[in-house]
Amino acid sequence: MRVTQSMLSNNMLRNLNTSYSKMSKIQQQIESGKKINRPSDDPVTAVKGMAYRTDIDKINQYQRNMGEANSWLDTTDESLGQVGEALKRVKELVVQAANDTNTSEDRQKINSEIEQIKQQLRDIANTKVGDKYIFSGTHTGKPLYTDPTAPGQNPDVSIPGAENEFKIDVFDGISIKVNTQGSKLFNDIDEFMGEVSELLNSGATGAEISEALGADLTTVNGTFPGLDTVYENVLTARADVGARQNRIEMMGNRLDIQFVNVSKQMSENEDTDYAAAITEMVTQESIHQAALSVGAKIIQQTLVDFIR
Amino acid sequence: MRSTFMGLETSKSGLFLQQTALYTTGHNISNANTAGYSRQRVNMQSLPGFSYPGLNSAKLPGHLGTGAEAHSIQRVRDQFIDRQYRQETNSLGYWEAQTKSISQMEDIMTEPSEYGINQSFTDFWKSMEDIVANPKDTAARQVMLSKGQALAESFNYIDTQLKKIQGNIGNEIKVSTNEVNSILKQIASINKQIQKVEPNGYVTNDLYDARDVLVDQLSTYLPITTEQVKSGGNASDVAEGTLTIYYNGVELVNGKNYAQLSTLDAEGDPVDGGVDDEATNGYSEFGKITISEVGEPPEDTVASEIEYADMDKGKGKLKSLIDAYGHSGGQGVYPEMLANLNKLAAEFVKEFNTAHNAGYGLDGSTGVDFFTGTTAKDIAVAITDPKQIAASDEDGEEGNNKNILLLAKLQSKVQDNLNGGTFQSYYESLVGDLGVKGQEAVREAYNAATLRLSIENDRASVSSVSLDEEMTNMITFQQAYNANARMITVVDETLDKIINGMGRVGL
């Protein structure tokens, strides 16, 4: 084949051009830290990269939600704990009052403590996380007791959503209930307390009073849960909260692990392998230099240089 | 009997011939770097021998040579390589333009990144999760409104920018058509010169070269076929004649006559990159190419119409631009992407609004649309009061987050109308498709360029000037010239002997 100068310079130009574009690509990889910079560099990596980004953002958001869920459950747990303590004290007082050595004055005094505890329990029923009443179902803007000190006020069970669950997303498609519906629970407690007060005030005998501790109370107004039932309900609610706390902790761990996994996959997917990129860059540089120097030598020389 | 001075004549013819060859060598060296130049060669032939048979012809032993002459000066060219070169140029023109169109689209979509539609989507869903945790928090609601606006604006922005580029491509179609028309006119004008010169026996090598450069340029735009038509009169046997150019079997150039192309849109107006539909800022897609009757100047009558379906696949820049700009009822890189984005926007607005309408806002409002619009162009947030975000599924429950939970779940909900993907995975698949197309275009363009280089080298191997070769030829011709001159001296000396030395015996 006949080879001419223009062929040599054409080849050299194109090869130098290719070499430049390779170097520019590696340079871009090193500088941006990413293997690809546009979808056509590698469509699969690009699409995967988009999905990973969405995943990471989702996990971040779920982790934030997790914090919110924890503060609800922790507060609920603590509040229910206080309710339990209060009920224990009520039991002590009732046991004491059931003793027939007490005069009705003594029972009046006991009753005043009972009244105080009732107020305290109503305050607990109005517990807030941030500006939200946690026992008001989904009607978080409204307390269960609009005025805790008003005598004989029942929890406002008629408020819309008072018995609703309040859920928070903690994972794709998984939402966990973070509240404990308080209106029924506190209503029962309140009614029980009311009955106890009434008993103490009515001059009932010790036997009648002691009955209020265990069995449900039957009065002219209907049947009311007794202390054991109420206490049992509180414990059940608290156990439920504990179980959910465990679940959230587990989800939290899972999210942490997933965050690490997804970040790692994302990095493997699109981050520049610096060792490889720099090695490639150096190799490409030497090729480029060789091409330049050989090219410069070859295209200069013709027969003209050698004939007189 | 031969003439006394015949030897002088013989050597003179040699002198002239070698001189012609030397001058041609000089011409080659001068044009060593001229684009499209083919090296030229003097076709040498010996003159008819002496004597020619006839009644009065001299009786000689043998047939005495009388020297040499330049029969013709011919360019060294391989038409077959030219054809290959133009075929590859067709592909290169197509894929280069395609690479450019797609890479511009990629620049606008900016994926994968923290600035594209995908990120706007993610931010929007994220903003909802904050309402999930704090349904009555006005700040969180305001953030969701802003993120919704950001998402809508991402759609608007991409729609506007894609249409702008589509318009630029339309303009490029117009410019390319003009360029093609100009090339056709120039080729016809060269044909005309050739038609004038060739019948007189001349071989217009440099005009052929100029014409071949134009045909090469033309084949960047269109896949054309050519046919040589020999000139009449006293044309040399190495004369190439005029070139007739066909596109899809229709004459574009015939001798000095040429046709003009018009690229028309579906409405029959020229494609020019101007907005055709003010309402959507859209463009009327490509309809057909009309080719006028050839003439000088071309006739106004239309000789042929070429529909999209008649155009060769993957050949020529014009076809590539049309593929990007849009044709045949919504096909093409840009219209398809725009339509898909519209579909995504419409589905998203519909689904989101349906879910949003079912809920209740803080102010008790219900049945309120969150977004308006049905396309990527007009999608916008409909509500301005953050209280109207329907987070609750019951009226009057400010802490109820059930509806916003449902809205947030739309992120991972599979949409039957979006090929069974979620909103985001549908968008991701659009970007993926674009990437695959882009990758193909880059690869094909690279391959076509490599192939064309190799063919260009083949062509250069035949036609381009090698300085080494010209130097060698120069020495050859120079030596031959010198030898002829020396021969004349020899003849001169023999004549001197006869004229001045004879008949002077003893002097």
Side-chain angles (χ1 to χ4, degrees):
Chain A
M1 178 157 157
R2 187 175 168 269
V3 178
T4 66
Q5 274 81 25
S6 66
M7 291 162 73
L8 291 180
S9 49
N10 274 350
N11 280 340
M12 182 180 134
L13 263 181
R14 175 155 164 84
N15 289 334
L16 282 182
N17 214 346
T18 314
S19 161
Y20 263 127
S21 71
K22 272 187 195 159
M23 286 206 289
S24 128
K25 193 144 259 182
I26 302 172
Q27 183 198 20
Q28 214 172 24
Q29 284 183 359
I30 292 176
E31 282 171 2
S32 69
K34 300 280 174 216
K35 269 188 236 166
I36 60 157
N37 291 288
R38 45 176 63 242
S40 58
D41 288 344
D42 184 347
V44 178
T45 305
V47 170
K48 271 163 103 182
M50 285 165 77
Y52 286 139
R53 275 178 175 72
T54 310
D55 282 352
I56 293 253
D57 277 342
K58 262 191 201 169
I59 293 173
N60 281 335
Q61 183 60 44
Y62 288 139
Q63 278 174 334
R64 241 163 83 183
N65 287 4
M66 203 70 83
E68 189 75 18
N70 273 328
S71 81
W72 273 73
L73 289 172
D74 290 349
T75 314
T76 308
D77 187 40
E78 203 180 313
S79 308
L80 290 177
Q82 286 170 10
V83 171
E85 289 304 317
L87 288 179
K88 263 189 216 159
R89 177 68 188 146
V90 169
K91 188 168 186 176
E92 277 170 32
L93 290 173
V94 174
V95 168
Q96 194 187 343
N99 201 329
D100 272 337
T101 54
N102 286 318
T103 64
S104 61
E105 283 78 26
D106 293 337
R107 287 187 177 143
Q108 289 286 336
K109 278 175 197 150
I110 292 173
N111 185 36
S112 63
E113 192 176 347
I114 294 275
E115 283 293 339
Q116 284 307 312
I117 295 174
K118 187 174 161 190
Q119 290 300 327
Q120 190 198 337
L121 283 169
R122 285 183 173 187
D123 285 339
I124 295 174
N126 285 355
T127 307
K128 288 189 343 184
V129 167
D131 59 350
K132 297 177 292 272
Y133 293 96
I134 57 173
F135 291 112
S136 301
T138 50
H139 207 323
T140 54
K142 226 173 162 202
L144 278 179
Y145 297 91
T146 35
D147 181 6
T149 54
Q153 194 202 17
N154 281 335
D156 195 355
V157 285
S158 65
I159 55 174
E163 279 297 299
N164 275 353
E165 293 183 343
F166 184 77
K167 287 183 168 181
I168 289 184
D169 278 351
V170 289
F171 209 68
D172 242 356
I174 299 178
S175 42
I176 284 188
K177 173 187 150 194
V178 295
N179 71 331
T180 297
Q181 294 99 313
S183 65
K184 176 84 168 48
L185 190 74
F186 283 101
N187 190 33
D188 285 352
I189 293 175
D190 211 59
E191 278 177 341
F192 165 76
M193 298 291 281
E195 287 308 315
V196 170
S197 286
E198 223 164 89
L199 268 177
L200 293 181
N201 284 338
S202 67
T205 64
E208 281 169 337
I209 293 173
S210 67
E211 200 185 333
L213 290 174
D216 290 348
L217 300 168
T218 311
T219 69
V220 277
N221 295 330
T223 310
F224 297 98
L227 182 61
D228 284 354
T229 318
V230 170
Y231 193 63
E232 198 61 33
N233 287 348
V234 172
L235 283 184
T236 313
R238 216 180 156 192
D240 182 39
V241 170
R244 279 185 273 146
Q245 278 174 321
N246 278 346
R247 207 172 134 203
I248 284 192
E249 198 181 327
M250 200 180 73
M251 296 304 301
N253 289 339
R254 201 181 285 173
L255 278 180
D256 290 345
I257 294 171
Q258 206 185 1
F259 183 78
V260 174
N261 283 345
V262 174
S263 311
K264 193 175 133 211
Q265 279 165 3
M266 183 161 124
S267 165
E268 277 171 3
N269 183 49
E270 62 188 45
D271 286 358
T272 307
D273 179 350
Y274 277 94
I278 290 170
T279 315
E280 211 178 322
M281 186 76 185
V282 173
T283 316
Q284 200 60 45
E285 262 171 19
S286 18
I287 293 175
H288 191 71
Q289 273 175 10
L292 278 176
S293 91
V294 167
K297 275 181 195 146
I298 285 181
I299 59 172
Q300 280 177 359
Q301 304 215 326
T302 66
L303 189 58
V304 185
D305 299 310
F306 299 97
I307 55 177
R308 280 184 298 116
Chain B
M1 188 59 194
R2 63 181 165 266
S3 145
T4 315
F5 301 108
M6 183 180 154
L8 281 179
E9 287 300 321
T10 304
S11 296
K12 189 184 83 184
S13 77
L15 267 186
F16 285 173
L17 175 59
Q18 300 310 325
Q19 206 168 31
T20 307
L22 261 181
Y23 288 170
T24 303
T25 302
H27 185 55
N28 282 343
I29 295 173
S30 311
N31 285 291
N33 293 323
T34 307
Y37 179 80
S38 317
R39 70 191 163 109
Q40 295 175 9
R41 150 182 94 196
V42 179
N43 290 326
M44 302 180 182
Q45 69 179 19
S46 53
L47 287 166
F50 184 78
S51 63
Y52 205 70
L55 189 62
N56 296 321
S57 60
K59 293 287 178 279
L60 290 173
H63 205 58
L64 191 57
T66 57
E69 65 169 356
H71 164 256
S72 58
I73 300 174
Q74 190 182 8
R75 64 177 188 148
V76 182
R77 188 94 180 176
D78 185 337
Q79 305 293 338
F80 181 65
I81 294 179
D82 280 346
R83 190 171 297 176
Q84 277 185 320
Y85 180 84
R86 282 161 201 163
Q87 278 165 1
E88 251 358 282
T89 306
N90 285 333
S91 301
L92 185 62
Y94 181 88
W95 289 113
E96 262 184 355
Q98 202 70 4
T99 307
K100 200 174 131 206
S101 311
I102 292 176
S103 114
Q104 282 175 324
M105 188 183 270
E106 286 178 332
D107 288 342
I108 288 172
M109 315 263 284
T110 54
E111 298 288 356
S113 78
E114 274 72 41
Y115 324 103
I117 284 193
N118 201 39
Q119 188 64 35
S120 300
F121 258 122
T122 310
D123 286 348
F124 182 57
W125 301 119
K126 264 172 76 174
S127 70
M128 273 181 243
E129 292 291 347
D130 284 333
I131 303 186
V132 166
N134 298 296
K136 67 174 210 186
D137 184 356
T138 324
R141 285 167 176 261
Q142 187 59 52
V143 169
M144 178 177 164
L145 277 194
S146 311
K147 295 292 182 189
Q149 265 155 11
L151 174 61
E153 278 160 13
S154 297
F155 270 107
N156 303 156
Y157 169 79
I158 288 188
D159 185 77
T160 312
Q161 293 299 316
L162 287 184
K163 280 177 185 158
K164 242 182 218 168
I165 293 187
Q166 196 187 4
N168 292 347
I169 293 174
N171 189 46
E172 211 175 334
I173 291 179
K174 175 180 134 190
V175 173
S176 298
T177 312
N178 291 346
E179 180 70 22
V180 167
N181 286 338
S182 153
I183 293 174
L184 292 178
K185 191 174 169 190
Q186 291 176 56
I187 294 177
S189 136
I190 292 182
N191 272 347
K192 189 174 170 185
Q193 293 180 51
I194 290 173
Q195 271 178 337
K196 275 186 192 156
V197 177
E198 274 188 348
N200 300 319
Y202 298 114
V203 180
T204 53
N205 290 314
D206 300 305
L207 286 178
Y208 305 149
D209 283 342
R211 188 173 61 188
D212 279 332
V213 169
L214 288 170
V215 176
D216 286 351
Q217 280 175 14
L218 184 59
S219 53
T220 309
Y221 295 98
L222 294 171
I224 44 147
T225 48
T226 58
E227 192 189 347
Q228 286 185 355
V229 179
K230 295 277 182 192
S231 295
N234 189 25
S236 159
D237 54 346
V238 295
E240 292 184 14
T242 61
L243 204 60
T244 306
I245 293 179
Y246 301 96
Y247 170 54
N248 262 9
V250 185
E251 272 181 2
L252 295 185
V253 174
N254 187 352
K256 62 181 184 179
N257 296 323
Y258 58 99
Q260 294 286 275
L261 269 56
S262 311
T263 321
L264 304 179
D265 62 21
E267 260 90 60
D269 301 323
V271 175
D272 56 3
V275 171
D276 294 313
D277 183 353
E278 294 292 345
T280 61
N281 262 341
Y283 303 92
S284 175
E285 64 185 21
F286 166 79
K288 63 193 171 201
I289 295 177
T290 58
I291 301 175
S292 72
E293 291 280 2
V294 293
E296 191 204 13
E299 308 287 334
D300 286 334
T301 48
V302 172
S304 179
E305 290 183 351
I306 293 186
E307 307 276 340
Y308 178 81
D310 303 329
M311 301 173 79
D312 284 325
K313 197 164 168 276
K315 287 197 186 299
K317 182 176 174 183
L318 202 55
K319 171 84 179 342
S320 177
L321 292 174
I322 289 169
D323 275 343
Y325 180 75
H327 59 87
S328 322
Q331 291 180 45
V333 180
Y334 277 77
E336 279 172 27
M337 180 55 84
L338 286 167
N340 284 332
L341 286 176
N342 282 344
K343 187 173 155 193
L344 176 61
E347 259 329 288
F348 175 66
V349 169
K350 195 182 87 194
E351 284 285 318
F352 197 85
N353 280 345
T354 309
H356 191 262
N357 279 336
Y360 293 83
L362 276 181
D363 58 356
S365 57
T366 184
V368 178
D369 280 348
F370 189 90
F371 287 106
T372 58
T374 49
T375 61
K377 182 185 182 325
D378 62 7
I379 179 174
V381 172
I383 60 182
T384 48
D385 183 358
K387 287 200 184 70
Q388 291 194 315
I389 293 175
S392 168
D393 67 343
E394 290 289 345
D395 188 15
E397 296 182 17
E398 70 281 341
N400 184 324
N401 64 5
K402 286 189 184 157
N403 204 53
I404 200 86
L405 273 176
L406 284 180
L407 286 171
K409 283 214 175 77
L410 287 177
Q411 180 179 19
S412 27
K413 192 181 167 200
V414 166
Q415 306 291 332
D416 290 338
N417 290 339
L418 298 176
N419 309 338
T422 64
F423 298 120
Q424 273 171 283
S425 73
Y426 180 74
Y427 178 71
E428 281 162 17
S429 73
L430 295 186
V431 175
D433 281 350
L434 176 67
V436 171
K437 274 187 200 151
Q439 199 182 28
E440 185 196 6
V442 170
R443 196 177 51 227
E444 293 280 358
Y446 182 83
N447 287 350
T450 311
L451 271 173
R452 197 181 75 160
L453 177 74
S454 118
I455 296 167
E456 204 176 337
N457 279 342
D458 283 351
R459 179 197 257 183
S461 171
V462 173
S463 300
S464 80
V465 176
S466 159
L467 289 178
D468 293 347
E469 186 182 70
E470 297 305 329
M471 285 299 118
T472 317
N473 284 346
M474 187 184 80
I475 293 167
T476 316
F477 297 141
Q478 192 186 3
Q479 298 292 8
Y481 184 87
N482 292 349
N484 275 308
R486 178 83 196 129
M487 189 63 209
I488 288 174
T489 314
V490 170
V491 174
D492 180 39
E493 278 171 11
T494 58
L495 289 177
D496 177 57
K497 202 74 192 166
I498 296 167
I499 296 166
N500 297 324
M502 272 195 351
R504 291 169 62 84
V505 180
L507 276 179

